[in-house]
Amino acid sequence: MTKPIINIADIEFEPRPAVFAPTGAAADKFDARMAYISPRIGAQKLGYNITAVPPGKRAFPFHNHHANEEMFFVLQGSGEVRIGADTYAIRTGDVIACPPGGSEAAHQITNTGTEELRYLAVSTKLSPEIAEYPDSGKFGVLAELPPSADGKPQRFVYVGRAGDSLNYWDGE
């Protein structure tokens, strides 16, 4: 059985996998390292990690979830969180609720301080999930699938725009 406890002093931060690393102009705005906690301690219905964001950067685009709820607890640093049409200053000790919903629930944390911003991110793990990105007009569909025959995790990911949709009978 997996030990159900870990001290944050014992976790290691990893860079974003290359396939999810921002490129081009996006690399100027986005950067983060993550320390994944939930799989190391056997969590099943909640995902949690510590996200480390350098000064002047954001970890993720402005987005909202239709299925999953997120909570962030600021461990170190300062910045701002944009939620819907509002922006709030954040600092060490703040707890941020991001329930599922439409564009009014869209959120993004930015490090506006001079030191690394670290926060504990906690999320439900409902699948499939639909996320929207109001700034760019995109949506994403993510579904966790059963492991492959060799035991490796599998997922379905699609990012697109509503105008790119095919007719249900296209190609049949």
Side-chain angles (χ1 to χ4, degrees):
M1 181 171 161
T2 302
K3 184 178 176 184
I5 186 169
I6 192 168
N7 189 288
I8 61 172
D10 299 328
I11 60 174
E12 293 185 31
F13 286 88
E14 302 173 17
R16 201 182 304 257
V19 68
F20 293 114
T23 59
D28 293 334
K29 295 192 303 188
F30 299 95
D31 189 18
R33 295 177 302 126
M34 303 212 178
Y36 297 98
I37 299 170
S38 49
R40 293 189 58 193
I41 59 174
Q44 294 180 14
K45 294 187 178 185
L46 293 176
Y48 18 98
N49 71 70
I50 295 178
T51 303
V53 183
K57 304 285 185 172
R58 303 150 183 85
F60 300 99
F62 187 57
H63 67 284
N64 56 279
H65 301 271
H66 283 276
N68 287 295
E69 181 162 346
E70 292 180 303
M71 183 278 300
F72 305 101
F73 176 65
V74 181
L75 300 169
Q76 169 189 312
S78 62
E80 62 186 26
V81 62
R82 179 178 163 205
I83 300 176
D86 299 314
T87 300
Y88 305 92
I90 59 172
R91 62 187 171 93
T92 301
D94 285 344
V95 177
I96 305 159
C98 294
S103 61
E104 77 287 351
H107 53 278
Q108 180 183 54
I109 295 174
T110 303
N111 182 347
T112 59
T114 58
E115 68 174 305
E116 186 173 69
L117 173 65
R118 287 188 179 190
Y119 53 85
L120 171 67
V122 178
S123 175
T124 54
K125 291 176 58 173
L126 301 174
S127 180
E129 169 67 289
I130 298 172
E132 292 180 277
Y133 303 87
D135 287 347
S136 58
K138 297 181 304 210
F139 69 90
V141 178
L142 169 67
E144 299 293 334
L145 303 174
S148 63
D150 61 0
K152 292 183 180 175
Q154 297 187 100
R155 58 174 49 176
F156 171 84
V157 178
Y158 180 82
V159 177
R161 289 191 169 84
D164 297 337
S165 180
L166 297 175
N167 179 286
Y168 178 78
W169 296 107
D170 188 87
E172 296 300 323

